[in-house]
Amino acid sequence: MVEERTHKSLWTVSAPARRYPRLHGDMEVDVVVIGGGVAGLTTAWLLKQEGKRVAVVEMHRLLSGQTGQTTAHLTELLDTPYSTLVSDFGEKGARLAAESSRAAIEKIAELVERQGISCDFRRLPAYRYAETVAEVKALEKEASAARQVGLMCTLTKHVPLPYPVKLALRVEDQAQLHPREYLLALAEGIAGEGSHLLEETKVTAVRDGVPCRVETEHGTLTCRDVVEATTTPLNRVFLHTKLYPYRTYALAARLEGPLEAGLYYDSQEPYHYIRTQRVEGVDYVIVGGEDHKVGTEEDTARHFEALEAYARRRFPVTGISYRWSGQVIEPADGLAYIGRNSGSRHVWVATGLSGTGLTWGTLAGMILSDLLLGRQSPYAALYEATRVKPKAGVKDFIQENAEVAFRFVADRLARPDAHDLSEVPPGEGRIVEVDGHKVAVFKEEGGAVHAVSPVCTHLGCHVHWNRAERSWDCPCHGSRYSPTGEVLNGPAVKGLTAKKLR
Ligand code: FES
């Protein structure tokens, strides 16, 4: 049987969006929010409720960025273990991290209920489980830290999974939803009464000041404050030393047997994340994982294959219906950066949302809307974007930034993939040396060749070909470009320079 399979997320296919206009000419509002994902839409929605005129500016379509690729686990179980947070932020800080994640889940629940949003929101337990003796030890340590910071959790051997598990940390009252149904409904409430949703409007520059100016390809927006909710902030240099971009992979497979709804996480390195979802009467298991640093692997297709093998080994599935991948930005010290950008008066950022994008993206909306309205936020100090925690994550900080420096030099000196265009297979990209210069060449299936400079327009590292997703990826700070050089993901705002080949 030929399996039906699409390289789009289950969410994109099952909840199409209506189109919003581009910016035409100049405009003035109170707040410009750059980025039409969970952080941007939540911030804009909350500000509009308080009477602010907002404009959400999205480079592509709403939810086409990382929010569209989420698997939408709403959980207090963070990527950074609570034992690490306790040691780096103290018990008070770790407790606040748990409380704020809880508050974000409750905010989503409140909005779903208050706005009557039909998005399959449901509360369920989360399980982080161990399959080996070594994993059990680490899990017991984490359970004690989780209890210490107030999580409603227990250790249990009873995990409703169809394979043996030695022990699990069960956390009560977590949640899941259909992220596009939720956020598209939220988006509906933003446009109108002086507020705007603007799609296919690429920002080319952000100028802090009184007023701020946000320049786009189709006009300039003037405003009091700017929120950059763009996964990674545009062109910031200092902040990027604290952000580490990873690719993660996900698939949705049709379930042919029972699987109890829950959020499940194994303890492998990198870990897998699992949940279920029913769409149009069909039950799916959604499995994610296989994370790796952006731009460090060309054969990205093998990660989909490994994930598929993992799903088939463990769950009663017949076919893989959807597969997709996304970008996860890990923060240096384990907590997101949300607040005023360093050196800025009126530019705010939300980034480093880690593997808990829906939860922390909502939290970003709560914190930023409070701050922009001149209110106190109980969580603002913990997530302050300008913070530097010299001890927290210092090993990763040194290693990741040394790798950026290494990439900057090594990729320039590295041998090209090919010396002749004939060596580039159809449908593939290669770094080719032409007349002594490296060129990033993509060859269409029909043979047409597109050549661009391999130099990333953010800070000058060299891009690498990503086979599975057909993109040029930068290993330094995660910018991604289409095969013909257009920006797919920031922080770069300019596409790769086109090259003419003789
Ligand atoms: S993303 Fe920073 S150099 Fe490419």
Side-chain angles (χ1 to χ4, degrees):
M1 189 179 84
V2 178
E3 283 171 2
E4 215 182 299
R5 172 183 303 196
T6 163
H7 281 263
K8 284 185 177 162
S9 74
L10 172 66
W11 322 118
T12 313
V13 176
S14 57
R18 79 169 165 99
R19 283 199 172 266
Y20 290 93
R22 284 184 185 167
L23 176 65
H24 288 291
D26 298 345
M27 182 184 278
E28 195 216 315
V29 289
D30 296 319
V31 181
V32 170
V33 178
I34 307 172
V38 57
L41 292 175
T42 310
T43 307
W45 193 91
L46 291 171
L47 287 171
K48 177 162 181 200
Q49 294 305 302
E50 300 289 336
K52 294 285 177 195
R53 293 170 306 144
V54 295
V56 176
V57 185
E58 166 57 46
M59 175 167 63
H60 302 294
R61 305 279 314 278
L62 288 189
L63 307 179
S64 61
Q66 302 323 308
T67 301
Q69 322 308 326
T70 178
T71 51
H73 290 230
L74 306 176
T75 180
E76 294 156 279
L77 280 176
L78 308 175
D79 275 10
T80 308
Y82 280 104
S83 50
T84 307
L85 291 178
V86 169
S87 96
D88 290 347
F89 290 85
E91 183 180 325
K92 204 170 149 211
R95 189 174 274 276
L96 210 52
E99 268 175 37
S100 55
S101 305
R102 174 88 251 147
I105 297 171
E106 294 310 326
K107 175 60 77 179
I108 293 171
E110 176 201 322
L111 294 182
V112 168
E113 169 137 13
R114 182 146 60 103
Q115 301 302 113
I117 300 173
S118 162
C119 60
D120 209 6
F121 176 89
R122 62 193 291 193
R123 297 193 186 253
L124 30 69
Y127 300 87
R128 177 162 288 159
Y129 60 85
E131 296 168 281
T132 67
V133 175
E135 289 174 3
V136 166
K137 281 216 160 109
L139 195 67
E140 284 170 341
K141 183 176 169 204
E142 183 57 5
S144 134
R147 277 195 219 101
Q148 187 186 351
V149 302
L151 254 67
M152 241 188 345
C153 60
T154 47
L155 279 172
T156 178
K157 289 186 176 165
H158 301 291
V159 183
L161 283 171
Y163 46 88
V165 161
K166 284 194 184 318
L167 191 67
L169 172 65
R170 175 179 160 132
V171 186
E172 304 303 330
D173 210 14
Q174 310 297 283
Q176 67 176 34
L177 45 57
H178 189 307
R180 269 178 80 85
E181 286 175 350
Y182 166 65
L183 288 165
L184 289 174
L186 219 54
E188 290 282 335
I190 294 173
E193 297 146 2
S195 291
H196 307 267
L197 282 174
L198 303 164
E199 291 186 321
E200 295 176 330
T201 301
K202 189 166 140 194
V203 170
T204 52
V206 175
R207 313 223 180 265
D208 192 9
V210 183
C212 295
R213 294 167 69 78
V214 176
E215 294 167 10
T216 81
E217 287 177 335
H218 309 295
T220 298
L221 294 131
T222 311
C223 57
R224 184 175 188 280
D225 290 286
V226 180
V227 172
E228 292 190 16
T230 46
T231 309
T232 50
L234 308 171
N235 268 340
R236 308 275 169 230
V237 178
F238 173 62
L239 200 45
H240 286 295
T241 61
K242 304 190 290 182
L243 301 171
Y244 316 141
Y246 284 77
R247 289 308 285 169
T248 188
Y249 299 81
L251 59 81
R254 236 181 143 98
L255 272 170
E256 295 298 328
L259 179 60
E260 197 168 306
L263 308 180
Y264 303 98
Y265 311 94
D266 70 17
S267 297
Q268 295 181 15
E269 186 55 56
Y271 71 91
H272 295 87
Y273 43 99
I274 299 147
R275 59 166 280 196
T276 59
Q277 175 73 36
R278 173 170 282 204
V279 173
E280 288 164 5
V282 178
D283 287 317
Y284 294 94
V285 59
I286 301 171
V287 182
E290 286 290 319
D291 302 14
H292 66 81
K293 195 81 200 291
V294 174
T296 54
E297 294 192 33
E298 186 187 314
D299 186 13
T300 43
R302 79 179 174 83
H303 293 284
F304 278 124
E305 284 154 24
L307 200 59
E308 184 170 335
Y310 179 95
R312 287 187 185 281
R313 251 191 341 265
R314 291 171 177 243
F315 301 103
V317 297
T318 46
I320 310 296
S321 306
Y322 303 91
R323 60 185 215 178
W324 65 97
S325 76
Q327 198 122 311
V328 172
I329 307 297
E330 292 295 349
D333 59 16
L335 290 181
Y337 297 103
I338 302 167
R340 201 191 300 264
N341 186 52
S342 56
S344 301
R345 280 180 297 170
H346 294 286
V347 179
W348 309 77
V349 294
T351 185
L353 303 183
S354 195
T356 38
L358 256 270
T359 314
W360 278 356
T362 302
L363 177 63
M366 294 159 66
I367 293 175
L368 293 177
S369 57
D370 274 345
L371 295 178
L372 266 67
L373 291 164
R375 298 193 298 226
Q376 296 281 326
S377 162
Y379 313 120
L382 181 69
Y383 291 95
E384 214 174 36
T386 51
R387 74 180 183 271
V388 179
K389 303 280 290 180
K391 281 203 208 130
V394 68
K395 207 168 127 225
D396 287 350
F397 180 86
I398 292 169
Q399 194 180 319
E400 296 274 350
N401 284 291
E403 206 177 305
V404 169
F406 169 78
R407 285 276 168 198
F408 189 84
V409 178
D411 286 344
R412 284 180 153 64
L413 301 177
R415 282 163 41 159
D417 306 325
H419 287 91
D420 195 282
L421 296 184
S422 63
E423 294 172 51
V424 183
E428 291 282 348
R430 293 284 185 274
I431 303 294
V432 184
E433 190 165 280
V434 180
D435 297 337
H437 297 287
K438 286 185 183 151
V439 181
V441 173
F442 169 68
K443 193 184 277 181
E444 289 181 20
E445 271 80 359
V449 165
H450 303 270
V452 291
S453 162
V455 179
C456 175
T457 60
H458 177 224
L459 291 176
C461 289
H462 275 203
V463 295
H464 291 230
W465 180 244
N466 173 341
R467 235 182 84 204
E469 298 167 86
R470 286 186 164 207
S471 57
W472 295 107
D473 296 359
C474 180
C476 288
H477 313 103
S479 289
R480 295 178 63 240
Y481 304 85
S482 73
T484 49
E486 292 84 22
V487 176
L488 297 173
N489 285 147
V493 292
K494 264 178 65 189
L496 298 171
T497 311
K499 292 279 173 195
K500 278 209 171 107
L501 295 180
R502 271 182 291 148

